[in-house]
Amino acid sequence: MTAAPGTQLGIGLDIGTSGCRVVAIDARRRRLAAAETRLPAPVRGANGAVEQDPERWWEATVTVLRELAVALDRRTFDSAGGAALCVDATSATLLLSQADGTPLGPALMYNDSRARAVAARIETVAAPASAARGASSSLAKLLHLSEQYRHSAQAPTLALHQADWIIGRLLGRFGDSDWNNALKLGFDPDANTWPGWVKRILPATISLPRVHPPGTKLGSLAPAMAERTGLSPKLALCAGTTDSTAAVIATGAARPGDAVTSLGSTLVLKLVADRPVSAPEYGVYSQRLGERWLVGGASNSGGAVLRQFFDDAQLCALSRSIDPNRESGLDYYPLPAAGERFPIADPTQAPRLTPRPADDVSFLHGLLEGVARIERDGYTRLTELGAPPPRRVLTTGGGAGNPAWGQIRQRLLGVPVTTADHQDAAYGAALLALRNANAGDNEPMQHEVPAPARQR
């Protein structure tokens, strides 16, 4: 599809665990073109190791950008009033590289948890509310990798997140990051600086990235990359964000009290607030979103529990027979295994899935209601910690399409529950880019509200 002359273009590139997707939208937020490709699964090893070769991300990036260039054609860029691209990727996925971007080895994925020893060191120096605490934080991964490569690392060795490295290859220079990706590396987005304790704990060879507000214009597509991808060298490149933040931007959540629940394999809650809230003991931290904040927490409950008992066809058929306006009478705490992160922080928390009724409709009713109670208690926890009470809940993920579940949740939450029109992170990144298609250098994004979501 070709955009009308003078139309601004926003391009969002989303790099996930299993795939890479790109979306282009025009000034009316209409999708013009999209492309996607699969990524090989990360390599899992002993002691919680989860790694991926960054070159696989780059191959996937080039593939989808070439497809997008063909779908849009070069005239679209040349006639547009401005075009910009933003990258989102998994939070706390990190690699070390040479100054020219050459990786020293595989990247440690967001769920790599082997850095337990260095995480204990971080605990002794980190600010109490820092998101850099924990074995899966970016900072723990950085210290783990710096020890692994201490004999080969030379100054400056760059610490780069997944989105940082991809945008660096497109720019032709490395060393830039954003508020959201840098949060778990120890950056303080409220003070907009690297705290002194972060600098003191790092080896002298490590160079921390320059951190920008998400959506800040960093430069233009390098000529060599324009030739390789087929995109215009006029394309502006912007500081990125994390995949979860991009997904929230896609939904339209922007005002204090706007909440986003992701009903995927796990249950993830995000709530827009005027100020940050942090409680690492509950897995609660805040991502900066323009002049506001996304306060969030994630439970181990969610769709993975449902799929232990029912496939998608069964879930759909059984849900149609549930009366969502009555209580199930079952007191379940649905977990796939022992351990909970939020709103209860207890690694020994056992699943509560008994007694099981003879009929599957009643059993599923109890499971859906159990997850909904965890969601309600999660928002209560966030409110108790200082976040505003939710005024509406936008829903994403596979569970968003279950009407009975939506009505159960609305009954328990006591606020409107809607299904977001736009849910994918690539679309959110495209919105972020669109706002900067004509922005000057170093001009950050201003968060706006997309079209309203559909009532369910």
Side-chain angles (χ1 to χ4, degrees), residues 288-312:
R288 191 164 179 178
L289 188 68
E291 295 304 311
R292 294 195 170 117
W293 300 81
L294 277 181
V295 183
S299 167
N300 288 334
S301 187
V305 185
L306 306 182
R307 287 190 171 85
Q308 288 180 341
F309 303 100
F310 305 109
D311 61 28
D312 287 348

Side-chain angles (χ1 to χ4, degrees), residues 310-326 359-362 364-365 368 401-408:
F310 305 109
D311 61 28
D312 287 348
Q314 291 171 318
L315 287 170
C316 184
L318 294 170
S319 294
R320 285 196 291 266
S321 299
I322 291 174
D323 180 358
N325 296 311
R326 68 172 181 85
D359 102 83
D360 285 343
V361 172
S362 297
L364 179 59
H365 189 175
L368 297 180
N402 187 316
W405 204 1
Q407 291 177 60
I408 290 170

